[in-house]
């Protein structure tokens, strides 16, 4: 089968590998129908996640059809079309019992990180019963791909961990698919003011269409901080979300946080940031950061199925799997290509 694999920092390629086989009676083998690329894949290629082994198949998002199941899989049968969660969960370890699936003792973020992922014709999914989801009838295959990672990430790590509340002023740095997912789901809680920052004017325009009350091109960070202070009458924002993963964007969040505010970090960082505790200790702020648990996926599936959230709006480009290197190039240069989420389709068998 064909896979898109990480070769070494700065290099990916299409590699031929054997079709995976069941390795435990809780596994499923899924034939991919749709997959996509995440900002995290760009961090992996940039060498920010050195734990990723060379030769690994990338990808932690997708929709596919079950080809084989182990004897202990109860919730799915061969032929079912499923959403593959980016997080694998055994369902019974201490972390799973706390819905902290991201730290499952026999799972977590493994796909396209520590084990072969979904940018391939087939993938092996461990603990299939807790790591796959049926697709409700009103959700398209493409929309369903947005539930593998970006919608739960924006909602859990940005919005829920940020404690967004009605009437608040929130700022979001990074209007990529993850930041836009936080923007969409923050509106479940009716914040009064939503300021979105990015360097990409097209993504800022999309943010406006998705409900941002203010957008700022933050290429000049000091100027962006000044504008936010003007918008907030020199108070700052109640919630600042970082959805980029660089020291400068984390710094922007800590510069604009109001007393009593909350910084929620979603970005995957490749180097340390400077946390200005000397200035922030007195402001009664809190900070959260983390890997998505996907514990909100069942609730998001209902919300999307009911038409309250439209994930297809995040999709801008379509490719066939044989064009995946081109797709990576477009996603990497998203600003030149007005790209958000790309759908990569496999030939239906
Ligand atoms: N915590 C988690 O569980 C989790 C899950 C998925 C993704 N992520 C991370 O979320 C982040 C966003 O993912 P994505 O898929 O949206 O990625 P992306 O690369 O598409 O988006 C990043 C955005 O940041 C903008 N940006 C870059 N430098 C900037 C700067 N200096 N100031 C303002 N904006 C800037 C880019 O223009 C882009 O729009 C990444 O760091 C990704 O690794 C985290
Ligand atoms: Zn991701
Ligand atoms: Zn577990």
């Amino acid at each position: 089968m064909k896979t898109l694999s990480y070769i070494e920092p700065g290099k990916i390629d299409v590699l031929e590998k054997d079709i995976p086989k069941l390795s435990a009676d809780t596994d499923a083998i899924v034939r991919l129908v749709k997959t996509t690329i995440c900002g995290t894949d760009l961090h992996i290629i940039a060498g920010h996640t050195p734990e990723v082994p060379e030769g690994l198949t990338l990808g932690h998002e997708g929709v596919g059809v079950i080809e084989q199941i182990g004897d202990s899989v109860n919730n799915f049968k061969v032929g079912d079309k499923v959403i593959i969660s980016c997080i694998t969960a055994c369902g019974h370890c201490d972390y799973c019992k706390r819905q902290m699936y991201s730290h499952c003792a026999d799972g977590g973020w493994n796909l396209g990180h520590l084990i072969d992922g979904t940018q391939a014709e087939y993938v092996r999914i461990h603990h299939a019963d807790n790591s796959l989801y049926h697709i409700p009838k009103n959700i398209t295959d493409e929309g369903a791909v947005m539930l593998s990672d970006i919608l739960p990430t924006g909602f859990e790590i940005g919005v829920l961990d940020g404690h967004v509340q009605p009437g608040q002023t929130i700022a979001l740095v990074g209007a990529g698919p993850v930041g836009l997912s936080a923007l969409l789901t923050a509106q479940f809680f009716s914040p009064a003011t939503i300021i979105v920052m990015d360097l990409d004017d097209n993504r800022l325009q999309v943010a406006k269409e998705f409900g941002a009350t203010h957008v700022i091109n933050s290429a000049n960070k000091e100027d962006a901080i000044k504008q936010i202070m003007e918008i907030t009458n020199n108070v700052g924002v109640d919630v600042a979300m970082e959805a980029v993963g660089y020291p400068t964007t984390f710094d922007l969040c800590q510069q604009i946080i109001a007393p009593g505010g909350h910084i929620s970090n979603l970005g995957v960082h490749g180097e340390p940031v400077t946390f200005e505790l000397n200035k922030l200790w007195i402001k009664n702020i809190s900070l959260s950061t983390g890997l998505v648990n996907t514990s909100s996926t069942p609730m998001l599936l209902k919300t999307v199925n009911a038409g309250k959230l439209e994930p297809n709006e995040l999709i801008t480009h379509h490719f066939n799997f044989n064009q995946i290197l081109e797709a990576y190039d477009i996603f990497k240069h998203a600003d030149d290509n007005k790209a958000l989420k790309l759908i990569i389709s496999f030939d239906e068998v």
Side-chain angles (χ1 to χ4, degrees):
M1 66 166 184
K2 289 197 166 47
T3 72
L4 186 283
S5 295
Y6 170 69
I7 308 295
E8 60 188 21
K11 191 159 180 230
I12 52 173
D13 210 347
V14 175
L15 295 188
E16 194 75 33
K17 292 186 187 171
D18 291 340
I19 295 175
K21 296 186 174 74
L22 295 172
S23 63
D25 58 7
T26 49
D27 286 356
I29 304 297
V30 179
R31 174 172 55 79
L32 270 296
V33 173
K34 309 273 175 194
T35 188
T36 184
I37 304 170
C38 180
T40 302
D41 297 322
L42 301 183
H43 285 293
I44 293 173
I45 297 166
H48 296 163
T49 48
E51 67 276 17
V52 175
E54 294 181 357
L56 189 88
T57 305
L58 292 182
H60 50 265
E61 302 161 275
V63 159
V65 175
I66 298 195
E67 287 273 312
Q68 281 182 61
I69 47 168
D71 291 342
S72 305
V73 176
N74 297 312
N75 298 341
F76 300 95
K77 60 181 189 314
V78 169
D80 284 354
K81 196 175 265 184
V82 291
I83 298 171
I84 300 166
S85 174
C86 65
I87 300 293
T88 301
C90 77
H92 46 73
C93 72
D94 283 351
Y95 283 113
C96 283
K97 283 181 180 155
R98 290 154 58 191
Q99 290 208 319
M100 264 183 82
Y101 305 132
S102 58
H103 290 273
C104 170
D106 192 34
W109 175 35
N110 286 347
L111 285 175
H113 180 214
L114 304 174
I115 63 171
D116 285 336
T118 56
Q119 291 167 10
E121 290 176 81
Y122 296 85
V123 64
R124 174 169 50 223
I125 302 297
H126 295 304
H127 301 297
D129 271 341
N130 298 300
S131 312
L132 299 173
Y133 293 89
H134 291 287
I135 308 180
K137 67 176 187 331
N138 297 329
I139 304 184
T140 64
D141 291 354
E142 301 197 347
V145 177
M146 307 301 118
L147 284 136
S148 288
D149 171 2
I150 62 166
L151 282 169
T153 297
F155 182 55
E156 293 172 22
I157 307 300
V159 177
L160 292 182
D161 288 356
H163 304 289
V164 174
Q165 289 168 28
Q168 282 185 327
T169 296
I170 71 174
L172 220 160
V173 188
V178 170
L180 290 171
S181 296
L183 168 64
L184 289 170
T185 55
Q187 292 169 75
F188 295 161
F189 298 100
S190 297
T193 305
I194 310 178
I195 307 162
V196 177
M197 282 163 275
D198 202 291
L199 310 176
D200 177 343
D201 287 323
N202 171 59
R203 288 184 166 189
L204 290 174
Q205 180 56 35
V206 174
K208 239 181 174 166
E209 289 158 19
F210 284 9
T213 56
H214 302 72
V215 294
I216 300 173
N217 187 315
S218 54
N220 181 330
K221 189 164 83 180
E222 296 314 315
D223 186 57
I225 294 169
K226 206 166 137 234
Q227 287 188 56
I228 288 177
M229 287 306 169
E230 277 166 23
I231 295 167
T232 60
N233 294 324
N234 280 323
V235 174
V237 302
D238 299 309
V239 183
M241 301 183 196
E242 202 280 2
V244 187
Y246 293 124
T248 183
T249 41
F250 179 80
D251 183 58
L252 179 49
C253 292
Q254 68 180 348
Q255 299 295 336
I256 59 173
I257 197 73
H262 188 96
I263 300 173
S264 54
N265 177 79
L266 300 96
V268 171
H269 289 258
E271 54 181 307
V273 302
T274 302
F275 182 47
E276 293 189 332
L277 199 51
N278 52 323
K279 293 183 187 159
L280 293 172
W281 73 269
I282 200 170
K283 287 178 103 176
N284 300 57
I285 66 144
S286 55
L287 168 77
S288 61
T289 181
L291 174 60
V292 64
N293 288 303
T294 65
S295 52
S296 68
T297 303
M299 167 262 168
L300 289 169
L301 280 168
K302 287 184 199 162
T303 310
V304 173
N305 194 48
K308 309 275 184 195
L309 192 61
E310 190 33 90
N312 293 61
E313 290 176 352
L314 291 156
I315 301 164
T316 55
H317 288 63
H318 293 83
F319 296 90
N320 191 277
F321 187 72
N322 61 23
Q323 302 166 300
I324 192 162
L325 290 170
E326 188 190 330
Y328 260 95
D329 203 47
I330 299 273
F331 188 64
K332 194 172 167 198
H333 302 105
D335 47 351
D336 297 333
N337 297 294
K338 298 196 171 182
L340 284 171
K341 213 64 182 162
L342 321 178
I343 289 289
I344 297 156
S345 300
F346 295 79
D347 295 329
E348 295 274 351
V349 181

